[in-house]
Amino acid sequence: MLRELNLYPQWVLRNPSAPVVAAERAGQPETVNTGQIENREPEIVVMHEQPRAPSEEVQSAAGARRTVSLQWPELKKAVRDCTLCKLRAGCTQTVFGVGDEQADWLFVGEGPGADEDALGEPFVGQAGKLLDNMLAAIRLKRGNNVYIANIVKCRPPGNRAPEADEIASCLPYLRRQIELIRPKVIVALGKVASNALLGKDATLASLRGTTHRFQDTPLIVTYHPAYLLRSPSEKAKAWQDLCAAQKIMQEQHQTIVAG
Ligand code: URA
């Protein structure tokens, strides 16, 4: 599994007991970590969700009203019946999300591809196989304390990135999923998912190495598995991000036990 991630021999964090959250500096510029994994702890800074553009705000407020009190069955039906944006007309089926509905871990991708569109489940193609290996690298398994979802529930044509209005229409569903799941850590896979969740327009490099927050939930940004398939040399950085997420999770468990 580590060989598949191009991470053999195994990387070990030098000081696993160091606190993950170094500082709470809401509103300050992000810290970019370009340090080498073997000689430096990632600098983790807590950032809060940025305000969104007014038009998205209006859409999001309307979306929040639509989804605010929905429980799982109604939310699934709302997604299944959704025609709010143009994506639904071009896809086979909606892809709601999969996994443990009380998971501590939430992984969020961009949107369904051809395989997901055909099967109705996120990350079931080649990128999904790599995601499963990434999960296994931190001893996680799809469906077992893990939930996997996408920013948009319908496949964008030709696998293009979802557009801003499509994201704005769909995001309330994911927001409600997050409210219902109440994960302890969110891992955003790739630039589109990260920017959509954080209300930003930033490079992935500038977002990595920081603990952001989606509402009150810590959020770690890492590479999309499809990108890692094209750029395998970046897998070591993804491993670094997963380790940071794992430390946050461990700290939360420690806090609960200590409290
Ligand atoms: N890429 C994504 O972002 N999501 C999927 O579900 C599959 C591929």
Side-chain angles (χ1 to χ4, degrees):
M1 171 252 321
L2 290 170
R3 222 170 262 121
E4 163 57 26
L5 275 171
N6 221 7
L7 292 170
Y8 213 73
Q10 187 170 7
W11 298 102
V12 177
L13 288 173
R14 286 211 164 158
N15 181 9
S17 60
V20 173
V21 177
E24 181 141 352
R25 288 196 264 149
Q28 292 190 13
E30 326 65 323
T31 307
V32 180
N33 174 17
T34 53
Q36 294 297 300
I37 189 168
E38 70 271 22
N39 60 13
R40 198 172 125 186
E41 284 280 306
E43 184 180 354
I44 306 292
V45 177
V46 175
M47 295 288 291
H48 290 272
E49 207 184 347
Q50 297 288 305
R52 285 179 300 280
S55 60
E56 288 169 35
E57 205 63 70
V58 171
Q59 240 169 320
S60 151
R65 275 197 300 279
R66 273 198 328 273
T67 56
V68 66
S69 59
L70 299 185
Q71 296 304 311
W72 284 111
E74 300 95 58
L75 185 61
K76 286 176 187 171
K77 181 174 176 350
V79 168
R80 216 169 27 241
D81 296 346
C82 182
T83 53
L84 283 176
C85 82
K86 55 191 175 300
L87 291 182
R88 184 65 189 94
C91 74
T92 309
Q93 58 186 316
T94 56
V95 178
F96 181 77
V98 72
D100 181 347
E101 291 172 356
Q102 269 131 35
D104 287 341
W105 292 86
L106 172 65
F107 288 77
V108 180
E110 180 176 317
D115 295 317
E116 292 75 25
D117 182 64
L119 293 177
E121 182 173 328
F123 284 101
V124 289
Q126 285 307 310
K129 286 201 184 107
L130 179 54
L131 178 60
D132 286 340
N133 289 338
M134 291 165 73
L135 296 177
I138 50 170
R139 290 182 223 100
L140 294 175
K141 206 168 170 219
R142 179 184 290 250
N144 188 357
N145 204 19
V146 172
Y147 197 91
I148 304 173
N150 281 309
I151 295 292
V152 294
K153 312 297 191 205
C154 294
R155 182 192 181 199
N159 292 343
R160 68 160 168 78
E163 292 167 1
D165 64 311
E166 295 157 356
I167 291 174
S169 302
C170 215
L171 208 49
Y173 298 127
L174 179 61
R175 284 176 180 275
R176 185 63 189 150
Q177 283 174 298
I178 294 172
E179 281 167 12
L180 290 169
I181 297 168
R182 299 173 61 220
K184 292 200 170 76
V185 174
I186 299 172
V187 179
L189 302 165
K191 186 178 157 189
V192 169
S194 305
N195 278 319
L197 286 169
L198 296 171
K200 290 192 175 206
D201 182 14
T203 62
L204 192 96
S206 72
L207 295 171
R208 281 190 59 247
T210 298
T211 299
H212 303 269
R213 291 208 167 248
F214 178 82
Q215 290 158 3
D216 285 334
T217 310
L219 183 150
I220 290 287
V221 166
T222 194
Y223 293 102
H224 193 286
Y227 171 79
L228 294 174
L229 289 173
R230 296 192 302 274
S231 309
S233 62
E234 304 285 44
K235 285 178 182 173
K237 290 191 197 154
W239 171 243
Q240 191 179 27
D241 300 332
L242 292 177
C243 288
Q246 201 177 33
K247 282 178 73 177
I248 292 168
M249 186 65 78
Q250 280 161 3
E251 283 209 342
Q252 294 207 33
H253 284 307
Q254 279 160 13
T255 309
I256 291 164
V257 171

